[in-house]
Every structure is written in C-alpha cells, then in structure tokens.
Amino acid sequence: METIRTLSCKLVVPPQVATRLEATLEAFAQACNFVADWGNEHKKHRQYDLHKGCYREVREQFGLSANLAVRAIARVAPRMANAKTRHSRFKPTSIDYDARIFKLDVSSETVSLRLIDGRCILALALGDFQRQALAGQQPTSATLKRGRKNRFYLDIQVKDEAPNPPKDDEIEGTLGVDLGLRHIATDSAGHQFQGQDLADYRLHRANVRAWLQAKADTGSKQTRKACRRALKRLSGRERRHQKQINHTISKHLVAYAKEHGLAIVFEVLKGIRDRCRFRKGQRRRLHSWAFYQLQQFVEYKARRAGVRVVSVDPRYTSKTCADCLHVGIRRQDDFSCKNCGQASHADFNAARNIARLGLAVIRGEYSLLSCALPSGGRVGG
C-alpha cells in the first residue's frame, strides 16, 4: 500500500536570495487573491473555469511562470468550492511546487526552485532523519514555506510502500484507547498519559495572553507596541506544545500495538462538544481538547506500520463493567461494580470495554459480545 509522507527540510538562504523568495511569495499570494476575486465576480468555482478565465492575466500581471500560475489557480479552486472559504484572503506564506518547477538532488543535498526572476539553487540543511527518508526518492511535489524570523522551509512529499494491514484472522487482539481531559489517553494495556501538566500549561498561557492583551489596550504607546510584539512572538506556542505531546502519545500507541500484533480501537467522539455541558471554568479545556488530532496522528503512523485502526460507538463504555458487562458506578476516576465487585480506574475500565467492542467489530461471531440467534446463527457486536 502506497503512502505519502511530508518531510520538512530547512533551506540555507543567503540574504540576497531571501529577497527573491519573498518577492515570489508576495506575487504568488497576490495572484491567488486575484483569481479568487475573479471567480467570485464571475461566479466561477471550478479549476477549469478559473484557468480558462484568468490564466493569461495572472501571468502578465504578476510575472509568474506558466506552472507557478497553474499552481496558484489550483490552490484557489478548493476554497472556491466551499461557500465558507470562498471570500478568504491568501497571505504570502507558502507556494506549491510540482515536478516542472522543483527538482531535488539528494546526492548534493540541493534543490532547484523556479522564482519569478528565474531558477534558484539552494542548499538543504538536512538531518539524519531527512537523509534516510529521502534516500533513493524522486519527489515530484513540494511546498515552500516562510517560517518565523524569515527562515524558509521546503515541505517535500515522498511516496513510501507501507505494509498491508493484517486480516481479521491475523489480529491477535485489540488495544482500546479511552480519550479524556484529565488523562489524555488510557489504553487497555494499562498505559496512561497524564493531562494535568498540559492543562496547567494551557492555563498559564491563557493568563499570559490575557495580561498582555490588557496591557496592549490600556498601556502607554511604547507598552502597547511591546505587548503586541510579544503576543505575535508567543502565537502558536501552545498549539505546538500540544502537537508534540500528541506525536509522543501516538508513537507509543502504534509501537506497542505493532509489537504485540494488536489493532488499535478508538471511540467516535464527533460532536462531543455539542453534547456535553461544562461549567464556565472548564469550557476552555473542552474546546482546546485535541482528541481528533491525536486520532489522526495514530492513523497515519499506524498506516505506515501496518497496524489496523478501528472506531466504535462510545456509549456506555464508561459505565459498563469490563469483567461482567453489568452497568456499574463511576465517580470521577473511580469505577466499581456491585455485581462482581470489580474496582479499577474508570478510564482503564472504559479502555477495556473499547477494546472488547473493537474485537467484536473485527471478529464478530468469535467475540465475547456475540450471541446465538434462534435460527442457529450468530451475530457479533
């Protein structure tokens, strides 16, 4: 099975070349905005119609090469297809490249990019991870990005051959994963990933933002300028911290599942923010809960590792006893069952139930949740 992964590589950009890159980024963004305005004015949303209507004007007005103009139109088309993003504006932060305007030389660790004033060859600052991933590859697409402090990066898309996921009869068991706020993830093997440190970090960042925003509104002119500069510098730090934590957790889950021949089972939490009611002080934690990002990280890592991922209905997984399947009592982190006397951590109990449901989805009639039908057949789930 073929997979596509993105490798972020830092570019070594001399000051004189940085000016050329910034000019190309600015021209590309202006071209995208021009195409979007033309599409809204003429009510044309398909890429074919956008290309036919304004390709020549984009080339003449913004000085883009043929393929840069094509890539600008291709970037606008998906936004035009969505009514919510149809009138959004493009910023000079990135450019899409294809095989005609981008060429990578792995041996010399250089890349050739097409700019508005001609070709430019730049060196890549690669690490061992990037070198190993790019060895023997011939990528045909990449994205030039401008990062913080005028640093430039090239996100290179490479194709890999991933192993096919195991068949139902090849799976030895399931690893249920219960997601939560107090504990980011708890699996049925007993591993638990705490979320209190992240919650404290989020609260600290929120207090810092609130203090800077207050000073930016009421302070002196110099203070307001300094606070706005600090807010811009700190922007995205919390998001990057959360992303790193989710990467760490997903890597552990996939590695454990692959080592023991297990399938990973998640609960479907879509719409949970609309179903749950929280006090005012807890709403920030609920709406900053990045459970979907964690699931996405696990899915793409599992695809590359040949591990199967299954989703199940979360109803009653936190209230059902994992030993006797009777409804028990949950009080915060504690779960107890009056029927069999089982007592354990509530998230661990829920993870075991999720694992059992996942096994029922995979194997059906061979699971403990299957039942006999009057006709002699069996039904799982």
Side-chain angles (χ1 to χ4, degrees):
M1 181 175 62
E2 188 179 78
T3 62
I4 298 177
R5 59 191 301 197
T6 301
L7 301 171
S8 183
C9 305
K10 185 178 179 180
L11 291 170
V12 181
V13 181
Q16 62 272 19
V17 179
T19 304
R20 298 172 59 191
L21 292 177
E22 290 175 356
T24 306
L25 286 166
E26 186 67 34
F28 189 84
Q30 291 179 2
C32 290
N33 288 324
F34 174 82
V35 174
D37 292 339
W38 186 93
N40 287 320
E41 180 181 354
H42 295 84
K43 300 187 183 303
K44 302 291 185 180
H45 304 148
R46 295 191 309 160
Q47 181 175 341
Y48 174 83
D49 296 330
L50 295 173
H51 184 99
K52 186 177 180 180
C54 55
Y55 167 77
R56 294 187 179 279
E57 292 184 63
V58 167
R59 291 207 59 190
E60 295 172 0
Q61 185 170 340
F62 301 101
L64 298 180
S65 66
N67 285 95
L68 281 176
V70 170
R71 300 318 309 162
I73 296 172
R75 172 173 286 195
V76 175
R79 292 200 187 184
M80 298 299 295
N82 189 340
K84 294 182 179 180
T85 60
R86 194 167 294 165
H87 299 280
S88 59
R89 309 303 292 174
F90 293 85
K91 296 181 180 180
T93 56
S94 63
I95 300 175
D96 300 326
Y97 281 87
D98 59 20
R100 296 176 181 84
I101 49 179
F102 148 79
K103 184 178 181 181
L104 174 67
D105 189 344
V106 179
S107 59
S108 63
E109 297 185 0
T110 58
V111 62
S112 173
L113 299 175
R114 183 68 165 86
L115 306 180
I116 56 175
D117 57 353
R119 284 270 178 176
C120 177
I121 298 177
L122 296 172
L124 295 170
L126 300 179
D128 294 336
F129 175 79
Q130 286 94 341
R131 289 192 185 95
Q132 183 179 1
L134 289 173
Q137 295 282 350
Q138 294 182 344
T140 58
S141 60
T143 302
L144 173 67
K145 291 186 176 181
R146 179 172 61 185
R148 301 169 66 89
K149 298 181 180 179
N150 289 328
R151 295 172 181 168
F152 294 90
Y153 299 86
L154 194 66
D155 290 353
I156 304 174
Q157 288 84 42
V158 296
K159 297 179 180 179
D160 286 336
E161 284 296 328
N164 293 322
K167 299 179 181 179
D168 293 350
D169 55 355
E170 296 175 347
I171 296 176
E172 299 181 11
T174 52
L175 182 70
V177 182
D178 180 70
L179 304 176
L181 295 174
R182 190 188 298 269
H183 304 287
I184 299 176
T186 303
D187 64 31
S188 56
H191 305 115
Q192 198 169 58
F193 303 91
Q194 300 290 336
Q196 189 58 47
D197 292 342
L198 177 61
D200 294 340
Y201 179 82
R202 287 188 181 280
L203 181 61
H204 172 69
R205 303 311 314 172
N207 292 335
V208 170
R209 285 196 302 270
W211 183 83
L212 288 173
Q213 289 166 354
K215 287 290 185 180
D217 293 335
T218 60
S220 63
K221 182 178 180 180
Q222 186 175 0
T223 301
R224 293 197 302 271
K225 185 177 180 180
C227 289
R228 294 191 184 100
R229 188 163 54 244
L231 285 169
K232 184 177 180 180
R233 176 172 53 85
L234 298 175
S235 174
R237 180 174 293 184
E238 181 181 326
R239 182 183 66 254
R240 292 191 297 272
H241 184 71
Q242 170 73 80
K243 186 177 180 180
Q244 177 61 34
I245 291 175
N246 282 339
H247 270 302
T248 303
I249 296 174
S250 61
K251 184 178 180 180
H252 172 88
L253 293 173
V254 173
Y256 185 86
K258 181 177 178 60
E259 180 182 356
H260 295 84
L262 305 176
I264 300 176
V265 187
F266 279 111
E267 46 190 345
V268 180
L269 297 177
K270 183 177 181 180
I272 191 172
R273 292 185 176 91
D274 299 327
R275 299 194 302 268
C276 295
R277 295 293 180 267
F278 284 83
R279 296 192 300 271
K280 184 177 180 180
Q282 297 176 317
R283 291 172 190 166
R284 180 185 291 113
R285 292 187 64 184
L286 176 66
H287 290 283
S288 60
W289 185 19
F291 66 87
Y292 183 63
Q293 184 187 69
L294 175 59
Q295 290 179 342
Q296 286 184 312
F297 288 172
V298 169
E299 286 178 359
Y300 89 77
K301 287 181 172 67
R303 194 178 303 115
R304 288 178 50 202
V307 175
R308 187 168 172 181
V309 179
V310 180
S311 298
V312 299
D313 194 320
R315 284 180 290 186
Y316 291 98
T317 53
S318 298
K319 297 180 180 180
T320 303
C321 176
D323 287 344
C324 66
L325 303 182
H326 282 70
V327 175
I329 300 173
R330 174 172 183 172
R331 290 189 176 92
Q332 293 185 349
D333 288 342
D334 299 324
F335 178 86
S336 60
C337 177
K338 291 185 177 181
N339 182 65
C340 67
Q342 189 252 133
S344 63
H345 194 283
D347 292 343
F348 176 60
N349 178 77
R352 292 176 61 196
N353 286 322
I354 293 170
R356 180 171 290 172
L357 284 172
L359 193 62
V361 171
I362 294 173
R363 294 187 181 176
E365 67 272 16
Y366 298 105
S367 79
L368 294 176
L369 297 182
S370 64
C371 60
L373 295 176
S375 59
R378 300 185 69 87
V379 60

